[in-house]
Amino acid sequence: MQELFDFLNKLMESGEYARLKEELNSEQPANVAEYFEELTAEKQLFVFRLLTKDMAAEVFSYMDSDTQEHIVHSITDREVRNIVDEMFLDDTVDFLEEAPANLVKKILRNTDAETRKLINRFLNYPENSAGSLMTIEFVRLHSSMTVGNAMKQIKRTGTDKETIYTCYVIDDQRKLIGVVPLRTLICAADDNTIDELMQDDVVSVLTTDDQEEVANIFKKYNWMALPVTDTEGRLVGIITVDDIVDVIEQETTEDMEKMAALIPSDEEYLKTPVMVLAKNRIVWLSVLMISGTLSSFVIGHFNSLLEVAVVLSGFIPIITGTGGNAGSQASTMIIRGMALGEIEIRDALKVVWKEIRVGVLCGVALGLINILKMTLVNRDTGFWINFSVSLSMAAVVVLAKTIGCLLPILAKSLKLDPAMMAGPLISTVVDAVALVIYFSIATALVL
């Protein structure tokens, strides 16, 4: 890719603008949008004006938000109107959702009344809902149409549609009653009617459905597009797979941030101010610090035991660290399974029983390895201390895996995001429980 950028820069520096224009307009729009990130603000505007109208609209939809804002600020109202006219409506809405108020006004000022009405309707859908993702550029067919008439309509209007590979069949009330693939139409006789060819077992989503649920449906059926209806079953739009790829990336990033005890942010790391990064982290750090005092209380309660057998304190990090790791392993697996729809709340008992068995196997193995290690390395500690540490480790692993699998399921049952119950929080809870187990076993076997 860098070779392409160097070549384009060379054309610009040598003044070969006709060749530069030709190369830019024959390149993939996503690559041209990436090239804009290499340019200064002045050169961005110059290069943008070398693009044809349809190419400019496509490239604009791939640009990052900062570049988009700069372009809209710099170009004339007529150029703004050209971009909006050529862009698919869902791409325009995506830009406006993130744009400052003055840019939104400039865009809306340069759209016709019907487009402005549609944009405003899209902007009023709940954030991260199916309605906010959908596009209205799709092929509608009536069930009474013949294949010949349907193909004429697709040829006449298809260039303005985001996809024509799946056509949606509606009745006179605009209610969705079926779908018909383009392949079926191509292979059918011209006098066949649409209702003879359509599939009437249509899977659709409501405008208010959450985007994560929509992504799961795409994954389940492996479709390229999914129809969106209102509460009365009327077809209002479709969601295409390219939008769902963005949703999956967004949801995965959000889960990763929550699992790392961060408040999710939509901004890129290098573009996020230091104060915002600190604010996103300090909340959970404070919660974890306060909840970490549970471990201090446990140690204080067993202070007399530590005074008698000081050597026990040296093994606290091993016990708590092993428990935290075991709990994090279990919670990560369960959170991932729930995100993919493989695990539901009703599976709680199955999950707990499985993790208990896994915990027993892992705990016994770690306990045996640990007692062997301590016998060879910690020869002065004595058998009962070695045995206490190893037995505690085995018990902590079993309990940690049980806690690690239960907390995400509990979070989902309380309508919370299971990703919140991940590494840092699990480790904090398990640390306190591990110390209670460790000191209780040590009290029984050592004193």
Side-chain angles (χ1 to χ4, degrees):
M1 191 62 68
Q2 191 57 49
E3 291 181 4
L4 171 64
F5 296 165
D6 291 341
F7 174 64
L8 295 175
N9 286 333
K10 186 176 179 181
L11 292 178
M12 190 184 308
E13 291 167 3
S14 60
E16 298 180 62
Y17 301 132
R19 178 78 185 280
L20 176 61
K21 181 177 182 178
E22 180 184 343
E23 293 293 335
L24 287 169
N25 286 287
S26 62
E27 188 56 57
Q28 288 290 335
N31 294 341
V32 177
E34 190 175 341
Y35 174 57
F36 271 78
E37 297 178 15
E38 305 277 318
L39 302 173
T40 62
E42 294 77 13
K43 288 182 178 179
Q44 284 179 346
L45 185 59
F46 173 76
V47 170
F48 187 77
R49 283 176 166 153
L50 293 178
L51 303 176
T52 60
K53 285 200 300 184
D54 55 342
M55 185 64 171
E58 283 199 67
V59 170
F60 186 85
S61 68
Y62 284 103
M63 290 176 177
D64 62 62
S65 57
D66 288 346
T67 307
Q68 286 179 329
E69 289 179 19
H70 167 67
I71 293 296
V72 174
H73 265 306
S74 305
I75 60 180
T76 64
D77 285 358
R78 181 179 178 181
E79 289 171 314
V80 170
R81 195 175 305 116
N82 289 337
I83 293 176
V84 176
D85 288 345
E86 295 296 329
M87 282 176 69
F88 289 121
L89 187 62
D90 59 329
D91 291 328
T92 304
V93 172
D94 287 343
F95 165 63
L96 293 178
E97 283 179 334
E98 304 296 330
N102 59 331
L103 286 189
V104 174
K105 290 179 182 178
K106 185 172 183 179
I107 292 288
L108 294 179
R109 188 174 67 239
N110 289 283
T111 57
D112 57 66
E114 183 62 27
T115 303
R116 189 157 54 248
K117 180 179 176 182
L118 289 171
I119 289 173
N120 285 325
R121 191 181 78 188
F122 273 69
L123 292 174
N124 286 328
Y125 284 119
E127 187 178 5
N128 299 331
S129 68
S132 67
L133 290 174
M134 71 182 186
T135 179
I136 59 168
E137 282 97 358
F138 61 94
V139 176
R140 301 176 185 83
L141 301 176
H142 284 272
S143 57
S144 58
M145 272 184 172
T146 64
V147 170
N149 289 334
M151 291 300 295
K152 288 179 182 177
Q153 179 172 319
I154 293 171
K155 289 177 181 178
R156 186 175 66 254
T157 63
T159 54
D160 297 326
K161 307 304 180 185
E162 190 148 341
T163 179
I164 61 172
Y165 302 116
T166 303
C167 305
Y168 299 91
V169 186
I170 57 176
D171 61 16
D172 293 336
Q173 285 75 44
R174 293 194 297 112
K175 290 188 177 181
L176 177 65
I177 59 174
V179 296
V180 57
L182 180 62
R183 177 186 295 180
T184 301
L185 294 176
I186 293 173
C187 296
D190 284 350
D191 57 353
N192 283 137
T193 57
I194 297 301
D195 60 354
E196 294 174 343
L197 303 172
M198 72 179 188
Q199 304 166 11
D200 56 10
D201 54 338
V202 188
V203 176
S204 61
V205 294
L206 294 173
T207 54
T208 53
D209 286 346
D210 186 80
Q211 64 180 15
E212 194 168 355
E213 182 181 341
V214 176
N216 289 334
I217 293 176
F218 267 90
K219 176 179 177 293
K220 179 178 180 180
Y221 294 102
N222 199 28
W223 284 338
M224 297 297 290
L226 183 66
V228 183
T229 64
D230 60 18
T231 53
E232 296 180 6
R234 290 190 294 263
L235 181 63
V236 293
I238 66 168
I239 298 172
T240 52
V241 70
D242 58 313
D243 294 317
I244 289 302
V245 170
D246 295 336
V247 168
I248 292 172
E249 180 183 353
Q250 177 185 336
E251 293 289 342
T252 302
T253 301
E254 183 177 312
D255 285 347
M256 289 176 61
E257 289 174 332
K258 287 181 178 178
M259 291 172 71
L262 294 169
I263 294 176
S265 171
D266 294 330
E267 294 293 326
E268 294 181 25
Y269 175 79
L270 292 176
K271 295 179 180 178
T272 306
V274 172
M275 286 298 294
V276 175
L277 289 174
K279 184 183 69 174
N280 289 347
R281 300 178 189 185
I282 193 65
V283 174
W284 270 107
L285 287 175
S286 301
V287 171
L288 294 173
M289 179 193 68
I290 294 170
S291 59
T293 56
L294 288 172
S295 299
S296 301
F297 289 142
V298 174
I299 293 174
H301 180 74
F302 288 96
N303 197 44
S304 57
L305 173 63
L306 291 175
E307 290 175 356
V308 175
V310 178
V311 69
L312 291 174
S313 63
F315 300 106
I316 291 176
I318 298 174
I319 298 293
T320 56
T322 302
N325 291 336
S328 294
Q329 285 181 336
S331 65
T332 300
M333 293 293 293
I334 302 308
I335 291 168
R336 185 60 178 158
M338 295 177 84
L340 295 175
E342 299 170 352
I343 299 173
E344 301 293 340
I345 296 174
R346 63 176 179 270
D347 300 319
L349 292 178
K350 293 180 183 177
V351 170
V352 171
W353 174 231
K354 176 165 282 191
E355 285 301 323
I356 287 175
R357 287 179 288 166
V358 173
V360 169
L361 292 174
C362 292
V364 170
L366 288 171
L368 291 174
I369 293 170
N370 187 68
I371 198 168
L372 177 62
K373 182 210 65 165
M374 292 185 70
T375 301
L376 296 175
V377 178
N378 305 96
R379 298 181 180 180
D380 299 331
T381 53
F383 171 77
W384 287 110
I385 288 181
N386 294 352
F387 183 69
S388 297
V389 174
S390 301
L391 180 60
S392 299
M393 184 175 294
V396 165
V397 168
V398 175
L399 199 59
K401 288 196 173 292
T402 305
I403 293 172
C405 73
L406 269 177
L407 284 182
I409 296 175
L410 177 62
K412 187 167 185 178
S413 68
L414 296 174
K415 309 298 184 185
L416 299 174
D417 192 331
M420 295 170 59
M421 303 297 176
L425 187 58
I426 293 288
S427 296
T428 303
V429 173
V430 168
D431 283 355
V433 176
L435 289 173
V436 172
I437 294 174
Y438 177 42
F439 290 137
S440 298
I441 291 176
T443 300
L445 297 180
V446 176
L447 295 184

